[in-house]
Amino acid sequence: LSDTTTAREILKQARSSADKLQDNYSKSSALSAIATTYGKLNDYATAKVVLEQAHTSADKIQDDGQKSLALREIATAYRSINGSVAARTGLEQIRSSADKLQNIYNKLLTLSAIATAYSKLSDTTIVKEGLEQVLTSVDKPSVDKLQDDFPKSSALSAIATAYSKLSDTTIVKEGLEQVLISVNKLQNNYPKSFALSAIATAYGTLNDLTTAKAVLEQVRISANKLQADDSKSSALNAIVQSQCEIAKLFKQQQQPESARAILDQAEGAIESIQDVRDISNPSSVSFKADALRHLVQVRVELGDWRQANQLVSQCSGEECRVLVLAQALKRWAAIKHPEMQKLEEQKQKEQEE
């Protein structure tokens, strides 16, 4: 990319090859990747044209799953365009295509991607209007026919997170209030707890401790209704992680006591988290170890080594102790050597992009 002349020539050839592809998903996917690279070259006008081509190909796909995947790739690619107006038009068209998908699961996956794409735009008014439209699509009665609440929970979480990126606190609060109304309509407490955790974290970015605590209390009520150890532990782990994020925000705002108050509350849930793993991911760590390593990281940042040691003592096995101690030492090393912190932040930023 540093040699823009060569890069443009290669992209021109790639685009010519993509145009010859017969399979519409392959063509759409290739064009989305090409458009993203044009965006990195700051050639936003060409990127926009290529994405419009990609969308035309995506709309011709017959299979709902492939069409949803293509639309999600295009929505993600629009994040590379440095122009909210151009991106809005494209994202509105993608949302219109998403609304026509027959499979509700695929529809919600696509709407989640669109909400995330809006969060990367700089124009507050455009983001606000876009998220309102996405929420309207998510809340359509036809969506409620899906028995599984997880896809809707995921979409609502994406909308809440997107709202938290805005700088206008009034718009953020109004948006989160609407998302909260939708989340409270979910029947299954397991996915509901994850969406509520996302909302609580979003309120934390507003320095609204009272509302964040109230929402987290709702999350706990939902989580405590769960019967299965893995579901309950997974939900409580998500709550603890949200509380850790809020605590970090308070620390950044020079409010260490508020941060500690949130952590004290979070640590009260550790006994209820079982040493079980995500059955869908056998290589994952236990929910308890995961919660403890998030907590110990923030305690180290606050210099609370006594509490950090107490967290390690709550591990029930050697693997957990190693994981939590490693996290504490890693965080301590980053504090002592800021260049490591910058490297970690850069890595995280690249992963998000």
Side-chain angles (χ1 to χ4, degrees):
L1 291 178
S2 58
D3 182 353
T4 56
T5 302
T6 302
R8 288 177 190 278
E9 183 57 36
I10 292 171
L11 286 173
K12 184 179 178 181
Q13 293 171 9
R15 188 177 172 189
S16 176
S17 297
D19 285 338
K20 296 173 186 174
L21 293 172
Q22 299 300 307
D23 179 76
N24 284 307
Y25 170 70
S26 298
K27 180 183 287 188
S28 173
S29 183
L31 289 171
S32 294
I34 292 167
T36 299
T37 311
Y38 270 117
K40 291 179 179 179
L41 290 172
N42 299 326
D43 188 348
Y44 305 120
T46 304
K48 179 177 178 292
V49 171
V50 175
L51 284 175
E52 288 170 352
Q53 285 182 273
H55 191 188
T56 299
S57 295
D59 272 341
K60 294 176 183 177
I61 299 171
Q62 297 301 310
D63 179 77
D64 248 26
Q66 282 197 334
K67 180 179 283 190
S68 168
L69 183 56
L71 292 171
R72 281 179 272 154
E73 289 174 348
I74 298 168
T76 301
Y78 266 111
R79 292 157 51 178
S80 66
I81 294 182
N82 187 24
S84 293
V85 176
R88 174 178 64 180
T89 303
L91 291 173
E92 284 177 352
Q93 292 170 349
I94 295 171
R95 184 182 56 80
S96 177
S97 295
D99 283 339
K100 295 172 187 174
L101 292 171
Q102 298 301 306
N103 184 290
I104 300 171
Y105 176 75
N106 290 325
K107 181 182 294 188
L108 288 168
L109 285 177
T110 309
L111 291 170
S112 294
I114 295 170
T116 301
Y118 270 117
S119 72
K120 303 299 179 180
L121 304 185
S122 57
D123 189 306
T124 300
T125 302
I126 288 175
V127 175
K128 173 182 178 290
E129 292 173 354
L131 292 177
E132 287 172 349
Q133 291 169 354
V134 174
L135 183 58
T136 298
S137 293
V138 171
D139 269 343
K140 284 185 177 178
S142 59
V143 172
D144 291 330
K145 293 177 183 177
L146 186 69
Q147 297 300 309
D148 183 3
D149 274 345
F150 261 111
K152 187 168 184 176
S153 168
S154 178
L156 292 169
S157 297
I159 296 170
T161 301
Y163 267 118
S164 72
K165 307 294 184 184
L166 295 175
S167 57
D168 189 320
T169 55
T170 302
I171 291 175
V172 176
K173 284 187 176 182
E174 289 174 353
L176 291 177
E177 285 170 4
Q178 293 305 309
V179 178
L180 185 56
I181 290 170
S182 299
V183 171
N184 281 327
K185 293 176 185 175
L186 297 175
Q187 299 301 307
N188 189 315
N189 285 305
Y190 189 28
K192 184 177 184 177
S193 65
F194 283 95
L196 286 170
S197 294
I199 294 172
T201 302
Y203 272 114
T205 64
L206 295 173
N207 194 14
D208 188 347
L209 180 59
T210 303
T211 307
K213 279 186 173 180
V215 174
L216 284 168
E217 184 57 33
Q218 283 186 264
V219 183
R220 266 190 297 278
I221 291 170
S222 295
N224 284 326
K225 290 178 182 176
L226 298 170
Q227 299 300 315
D229 281 347
D230 56 347
S231 298
K232 187 171 185 176
S233 295
S234 177
L236 289 171
N237 180 27
I239 298 167
V240 168
Q241 291 188 35
S242 291
Q243 289 169 312
C244 287
E245 289 303 311
I246 293 170
K248 282 194 257 185
L249 289 165
F250 278 120
K251 179 184 176 295
Q252 290 169 10
Q253 295 162 6
Q254 306 301 315
Q255 298 183 53
E257 293 312 312
S258 294
R260 289 187 174 99
I262 286 284
L263 292 178
D264 289 343
Q265 188 182 48
E267 287 163 10
I270 289 297
E271 287 186 8
S272 300
I273 302 178
Q274 301 300 307
D275 210 9
V276 293
R277 302 171 187 266
D278 181 356
I279 56 174
S280 66
N281 183 12
S283 64
S284 63
V285 301
S286 74
F287 294 121
K288 187 166 191 173
D290 198 30
L292 286 168
R293 68 180 178 179
H294 278 85
L295 285 165
V296 80
Q297 175 179 318
V298 191
R299 284 297 187 185
V300 170
E301 289 179 7
L302 290 167
D304 297 344
W305 283 101
R306 182 176 62 82
Q307 290 88 340
N309 284 326
Q310 288 175 345
L311 289 169
V312 176
S313 69
Q314 293 195 53
C315 284
S316 54
E318 194 65 28
E319 182 185 13
C320 174
R321 279 191 287 274
V322 170
L323 284 167
V324 177
L325 278 170
Q327 187 65 51
L329 292 171
K330 180 182 176 183
R331 198 75 209 107
W332 178 78
I335 292 168
K336 291 293 182 182
H337 301 280
E339 65 274 12
M340 290 180 63
Q341 173 71 11
K342 289 179 181 177
L343 203 63
E344 190 71 26
E345 289 174 354
Q346 181 62 33
K347 184 179 177 182
Q348 187 175 349
K349 185 178 179 182
E350 288 172 357
Q351 288 175 340
E352 289 175 354
E353 291 176 350

